[in-house]
Amino acid sequence: GAGVSQSPRYKVAKRGQDVALRCDPISGHVSLFWYQQALGQGPEFLTYFQNEAQLDKSGLPSDRFFAERPEGSVSTLKIQRTQQEDSAVYLCASSSRTDLNYGYTFGSGTRLTVV
Amino acid sequence: KQEVTQIPAALSVPEGENLVLNCSFTDSAIYNLQWFRQDPGKGLTSLLLIQSSQREQTSGRLNASLDKSSGRSTLYIAASQPGDSATYLCAVTGAGANNLFFGTGTRLTVIP
């Protein structure tokens, strides 16, 4: 596709519910990142994939958060037993290179509200 | 851990004015610094990327400078327009890191 596509755009979950957020990167992009952006804050790094390999998951806030990219294209961020503090916009970004001087393309994000 | 700070948090200017947004970071061992624009409900759009060996980058009415030793960057916007209204985010990539560290942004409003 022309850009990074994220779905759903909005998700309301009851506390304790599991959610899955999808990211379709630009076709052929090797690197894929997930970020979490709380209201009024800058995005914070969650995890990084190079093709299907998850090379860095140091930003995942707890073991309730899990990300995968099994075939090196589409990625899913799963949050189990959601809590109110998980409410945020989840942003996905992809890059055609592994050299980070080539920049990223960000998706529009999924806004998660936990009630 | 790298800390990125942006001042001011919000700025309102009349159309046509030149303005400067400020960004500071605590660890000067960076790989690059980027300025992004974020419109409400939208993702981030990359504006300028300055590699650690560079001092500045320019694109149209935008000019970004980098002083790595002092941990500072500025984004200069010339002849501001109402369409420039957005949140501007500064982010650094640490040396040896895979990810960006973002500031909290400056919300810019350009008044027609």
Side-chain angles (χ1 to χ4, degrees), chain A residues 26-48:
Chain A
I26 294 173
S27 179
H29 274 202
V30 171
S31 299
L32 185 144
F33 302 80
W34 283 97
Y35 286 82
Q36 179 190 57
Q37 186 175 22
L39 188 64
Q41 302 297 312
E44 291 196 356
F45 170 74
L46 294 176
T47 187
Y48 164 59

Side-chain angles (χ1 to χ4, degrees), chain A residues 39-115:
Chain A
L39 188 64
Q41 302 297 312
E44 291 196 356
F45 170 74
L46 294 176
T47 187
Y48 164 59
F49 289 86
Q50 192 175 114
N51 296 306
E52 70 278 3
Q54 188 175 23
L55 298 187
D56 188 345
K57 55 182 181 179
S58 62
L60 296 176
S62 77
D63 58 8
R64 296 185 297 103
F65 286 71
F66 172 76
E68 60 183 5
R69 193 185 185 199
E71 296 178 358
S73 54
V74 171
S75 177
T76 304
L77 176 66
K78 298 179 179 178
I79 309 173
Q80 297 177 325
R81 305 181 303 282
T82 52
Q83 301 178 5
Q84 284 192 317
E85 60 261 32
D86 300 335
S87 295
V89 175
Y90 290 85
L91 294 166
C92 176
S94 70
S95 174
S96 60
R97 308 287 290 265
T98 56
D99 181 342
L100 298 181
N101 273 325
Y102 284 88
Y104 314 73
T105 301
F106 276 83
S108 297
T110 293
R111 181 179 296 278
L112 172 66
T113 304
V114 181
V115 298

Side-chain angles (χ1 to χ4, degrees), chain B residues 73-97:
Chain B
S73 175
T74 61
L75 178 66
Y76 175 83
I77 302 177
S80 58
Q81 302 172 359
D84 295 333
S85 297
T87 296
Y88 290 81
L89 291 158
C90 166
V92 298
T93 303

Side-chain angles (χ1 to χ4, degrees), chain B:
Chain B
K1 180 186 171 185
Q2 178 75 264
E3 301 283 342
V4 181
T5 304
Q6 291 187 246
I7 295 173
L11 180 63
S12 186
V13 300
E15 181 177 2
E17 195 162 291
N18 303 326
L19 59 101
V20 175
L21 307 181
N22 296 291
C23 172
S24 61
F25 46 95
T26 54
D27 186 346
S28 62
I30 64 168
Y31 192 61
N32 60 42
L33 181 144
Q34 296 185 58
W35 283 93
F36 291 88
R37 169 185 174 138
Q38 186 171 34
D39 293 280
K42 300 287 180 62
L44 281 66
T45 300
S46 180
L47 299 173
L48 291 164
L49 183 154
I50 310 176
Q51 297 182 25
S52 61
S53 59
Q54 298 173 329
R55 300 281 293 185
E56 67 176 342
Q57 284 286 338
T58 298
S59 176
R61 294 182 294 108
L62 305 180
N63 176 275
S65 67
L66 173 64
D67 184 341
K68 203 173 70 163
S69 61
S70 68
R72 294 182 182 179
S73 175
T74 61
L75 178 66
Y76 175 83
I77 302 177
S80 58
Q81 302 172 359
D84 295 333
S85 297
T87 296
Y88 290 81
L89 291 158
C90 166
V92 298
T93 303
N98 302 309
N99 57 285
L100 295 164
F101 291 93
F102 283 87
T104 54
T106 294
R107 189 172 69 253
L108 173 66
T109 302
V110 181
I111 303 165

